Structure formats: C-alpha cells, structure tokens
Amino acid sequence: MTPGAAAAQGQPGDDAHAVTAQALDEVVAATDLRHLDEVRARYLGRGDGLLTVLKRRVGGMTDPAARAQLGKTLNELSTRVEEALAERQAALSAAVESQRRQSEVVDLTRPAPPLRRGYLHPTTRCARDIRRIFAHLGYTAVGGPEVEYDRYNFTLVNMPPGHPSRDTQATFYIDDVRLLRTHTSPVQIRSMVALGVPLKVIVPGKAYRRDYDATHFPMFHQVEGLCVDRDITVADLKGTLEFFARSMFGPERAIRLRPHHFRFTEPSLEVDVSCMVCGGDGCRTCKGSGWIEILGSGMVHPDVLRNGGVDPDRFTGFAFGMGIERIAQLAYGIEDGRLLYENDLRFIRQM
Ligand SMILES: [Zn+2]
C-alpha cells in the first residue's frame, strides 16, 4: 500500500511518519531542480499534497487533545520536509552553477586572436597629406573654434550684417552672436591677431552648413591657407598652389587660374588642375574639359588685413581654401562622396 492510499484510508496519525519518510527519500533522490519541484508538489502541494491532505483530515477529528497533538506532529513533519527541500535545492543550484562556470572557463594561456590593423579614414589621410605638403613650404597648421562668433565668421572677412553673400552659406545659428562656423576663414583673422605678420598658416578643420544632398553635407572639412608678408604677389600664390597640385595629384599636373569673386580676396581666382584621369584630353571626371576645379583663392582684401591688425600698405598676402573631401575624392579616385560618411569598413580597408 502506498503512503498516499494509507493516508486516505487509515487514521491520520498512522501514516504521517511513513509519508514523511517517503518524502525525505524522494527529496534526496531528486537529481535536478525540476524533479525536486515535482516532489514538493506531491507532498506539500496546496490542494492535494499528501501531507496537506493529512493536515486537513486532522481538522475533522473529534477529540480536541488528540487533534492538537497530531496537528503539532504534522507541522513538525512538514517543516522537516520543507527544510530537506531547501537544502537539496541549494545543492542542486550550486551544481548547476559550477557546471556553468566549468563550461565557460577562460584559458589565460591561449594565444590572443590576431588584432585587426586599423586604417586612417581617407578624409584624415588627405588632411595629413595636405599638411605635410604645406609644411615643406614652411606653413604651420593652426586651429580655431568651431562655435564661432558671427563677427569672425562673416563681418571681419568682409561679409557685413545684411550683406547678400551671407545667404549663400546656410548657417546654423547658436544665438544672435554665435554660430557653427561656415568656413575656416575666421581663423585667418584669429591667426593674424594672435601671431602677427609675417605669417604662413594652414587651417585644416570642420565647417558646417545647412546643406544635405548627394554632394553637400551639413559637416565637412576645409583647409584654409594664409600667407602674409612684404611684397607677396599673385606669382607667389600661383607658385605655391602649383607646388601643392603637383605634390597632391602628380608631377605632370598643370594648373590654371580663372578670375572669380570672393568677398575676402581681391583679385579672386579659382584654381583648376589638369585632369588626373585623362591628362587633359577630356573625360567623364572633367566633364570633357580637361580641367577640374580644386580650390578658391586670391590676394587678401586690404580690409581683411586691417581687420586682422595688419597694415595693407606695408604687407600683402594671399589666401586659399579647399574642401578636403573633394581633394580626397580626386586624389584617391572616390566617385561617390557619400562613401566618406557612411562608415563602411569595407570601403575604408579598400582605400
Ligand atoms: Zn578628364
């Protein structure tokens, strides 16, 4: 006869000890946590656990003394079973945990997986190339704030408030007097004021405009260049930019200057380089013309020199500015400029 059947038929006290002994045996025999839960339900389950049923039957006994005595005994026996369950559960949990630790052991003597070599982003590489080229000519690289005063970004480089030339540079304003610089030109003023003349600086850095399409990005990189000294002429500008174009795009490159208009230079000149793809015969890259525009330049406007604290009667200078992304595209043959911003590692490795 099973203890359960005995509990159902005989007096409650007869079987309590037998049921408990059976429960304790099963607790010890449980080999995993799920099995242990089944044992708990079989003996202590709220509805039909064997010890629960016995307790319920004690409630129906007529002799109050016997009822109290047996109730006390049954409570003690239930507690023993509960304690045994808790102990076994702790042991089984510890075993599971230890097994988990063994399976994910860290072997410190194993050789490390090989590190992947990193690569410079083409924009970074191009900026370094430009710096290196101008360093040969004695230019110092300087920086300036990206959150700039309207005054430095526009007014002091000859774009006074209300002037229509400001509209061509869709600007991120911070407040009435500050903005994200739309070009690196404000550093021309800052450099003249801080360093004095004679002066030869290049300014690689970020600029911001509210543009976003296939060829324009809200953040882009420029390099500004400024040379101020006595007797600087257009010939110096031309020689400098020719040296740059040949160092960057190959010794067989030629440049040509075209008249243009910028507010902060007079005269202003756009600089083209002979096409590095077709050598000047005409192709898709140069749109059949044999020439590719690479930068804007000119002789520094006397007012800009004055705004930098320089006397235009004693000093002259030239300035130039170029987009690093554009130079990188031309120098490394990147057809789609968006690749420079998509952070696709395959593209960067391929470079
Ligand atoms: Zn071409």
Side-chain angles (χ1 to χ4, degrees), residues 154-308:
F154 288 129
T155 308
L156 294 178
V157 292
N158 261 1
M159 296 163 83
H163 194 278
S165 60
R166 287 189 175 210
D167 297 342
T168 63
Q169 304 188 358
T171 307
F172 291 107
Y173 278 94
I174 307 268
D175 54 32
D176 286 347
V177 293
R178 287 175 303 171
L179 44 74
L180 292 180
R181 68 180 182 194
T182 60
H183 47 189
T184 42
S185 304
V187 187
Q188 286 193 23
I189 303 292
R190 289 181 174 277
S191 302
M192 286 188 278
V193 170
L195 305 172
V197 286
L199 179 72
K200 271 169 147 181
V201 292
I202 60 160
V203 189
K206 294 184 175 102
Y208 302 84
R209 291 186 198 180
R210 283 169 33 200
D211 283 333
Y212 190 54
D213 59 38
T215 52
H216 296 88
F217 301 93
M219 189 277 291
F220 54 98
H221 296 80
Q222 279 193 334
V223 175
E224 190 90 3
L226 176 67
C227 169
V228 181
D229 205 337
R230 289 180 193 278
D231 305 321
I232 296 289
T233 68
V234 175
D236 298 303
L237 178 158
K238 189 181 177 201
T240 299
L241 295 179
E242 197 168 61
F243 176 81
F244 164 71
R246 289 181 174 160
S247 305
M248 195 79 211
F249 301 112
E252 64 283 6
R253 296 277 74 78
I255 64 165
R256 72 175 184 186
L257 308 180
R258 284 180 292 110
H260 197 74
H261 174 74
F262 301 113
R263 289 288 301 168
F264 30 89
T265 46
E266 180 58 41
S268 301
L269 301 158
E270 277 199 320
V271 178
D272 297 339
V273 63
S274 58
C275 181
M276 57 289 290
V277 177
C278 63
D281 295 337
C283 69
R284 202 157 60 92
T285 303
C286 59
K287 298 190 181 86
S289 73
W291 295 93
I292 296 174
E293 180 199 326
I294 53 166
L295 56 85
S297 67
M299 300 304 291
V300 183
H301 195 291
D303 286 344
V304 175
L305 288 174
R306 250 178 235 115
N307 292 338

Side-chain angles (χ1 to χ4, degrees), residues 8-335:
Q9 288 164 18
Q11 286 298 308
D14 297 346
D15 299 310
H17 284 90
V19 169
T20 301
Q22 175 89 8
L24 294 175
D25 284 348
E26 287 188 30
V27 167
V28 172
T31 50
D32 59 46
L33 291 168
R34 205 177 61 123
H35 191 181
L36 197 64
D37 280 339
E38 288 166 8
V39 175
R40 178 181 289 111
R42 183 150 57 242
Y43 290 93
L44 299 174
R46 201 176 281 261
D48 57 356
L50 295 178
L51 284 168
T52 313
V53 169
L54 284 174
K55 280 189 197 171
R56 206 176 295 137
R57 287 180 58 198
V58 167
M61 288 171 69
T62 46
D63 179 353
R67 190 169 66 207
Q69 177 61 39
L70 191 53
K72 185 165 174 263
T73 304
L74 271 169
N75 280 338
E76 284 167 5
L77 293 175
S78 296
T79 304
R80 272 175 59 191
V81 173
E82 277 167 15
E83 284 170 357
L85 280 166
E87 196 179 322
R88 185 71 184 142
Q89 174 156 354
L92 288 173
S93 300
V96 167
E97 173 69 5
S98 139
Q99 203 170 18
R100 189 184 65 78
R101 285 206 191 136
Q102 273 178 11
S103 68
E104 60 184 39
V105 70
V106 177
D107 180 358
L108 294 175
T109 64
R110 278 184 62 188
L115 278 179
R116 264 216 172 136
R117 220 181 120 204
Y119 298 85
L120 286 180
H121 191 278
T123 308
T124 306
R125 207 175 107 198
C126 186
R128 291 192 181 182
D129 284 350
I130 295 170
R131 277 171 73 146
R132 191 171 37 75
I133 291 166
F134 282 100
H136 284 307
L137 298 175
Y139 283 73
T140 308
V142 297
E146 289 172 23
V147 175
E148 183 55 280
Y149 290 103
D150 176 294
R151 185 173 143 76
Y152 280 92
N153 192 79
F154 288 129
T155 308
L156 294 178
V157 292
N158 261 1
M159 296 163 83
H163 194 278
S165 60
R166 287 189 175 210
D167 297 342
T168 63
Q169 304 188 358
T171 307
F172 291 107
Y173 278 94
I174 307 268
D175 54 32
D176 286 347
V177 293
R178 287 175 303 171
L179 44 74
L180 292 180
R181 68 180 182 194
T182 60
H183 47 189
T184 42
S185 304
V187 187
Q188 286 193 23
I189 303 292
R190 289 181 174 277
S191 302
M192 286 188 278
V193 170
L195 305 172
V197 286
L199 179 72
K200 271 169 147 181
V201 292
I202 60 160
V203 189
K206 294 184 175 102
Y208 302 84
R209 291 186 198 180
R210 283 169 33 200
D211 283 333
Y212 190 54
D213 59 38
T215 52
H216 296 88
F217 301 93
M219 189 277 291
F220 54 98
H221 296 80
Q222 279 193 334
V223 175
E224 190 90 3
L226 176 67
C227 169
V228 181
D229 205 337
R230 289 180 193 278
D231 305 321
I232 296 289
T233 68
V234 175
D236 298 303
L237 178 158
K238 189 181 177 201
T240 299
L241 295 179
E242 197 168 61
F243 176 81
F244 164 71
R246 289 181 174 160
S247 305
M248 195 79 211
F249 301 112
E252 64 283 6
R253 296 277 74 78
I255 64 165
R256 72 175 184 186
L257 308 180
R258 284 180 292 110
H260 197 74
H261 174 74
F262 301 113
R263 289 288 301 168
F264 30 89
T265 46
E266 180 58 41
S268 301
L269 301 158
E270 277 199 320
V271 178
D272 297 339
V273 63
S274 58
C275 181
M276 57 289 290
V277 177
C278 63
D281 295 337
C283 69
R284 202 157 60 92
T285 303
C286 59
K287 298 190 181 86
S289 73
W291 295 93
I292 296 174
E293 180 199 326
I294 53 166
L295 56 85
S297 67
M299 300 304 291
V300 183
H301 195 291
D303 286 344
V304 175
L305 288 174
R306 250 178 235 115
N307 292 338
V310 176
D311 179 356
D313 294 328
R314 294 172 58 219
F315 290 92
T316 52
F318 64 84
F320 56 89
M322 63 187 107
I324 299 181
E325 284 85 352
R326 177 163 177 76
I327 302 294
Q329 274 186 264
L330 293 171
Y332 311 140
I334 303 164
E335 291 215 2

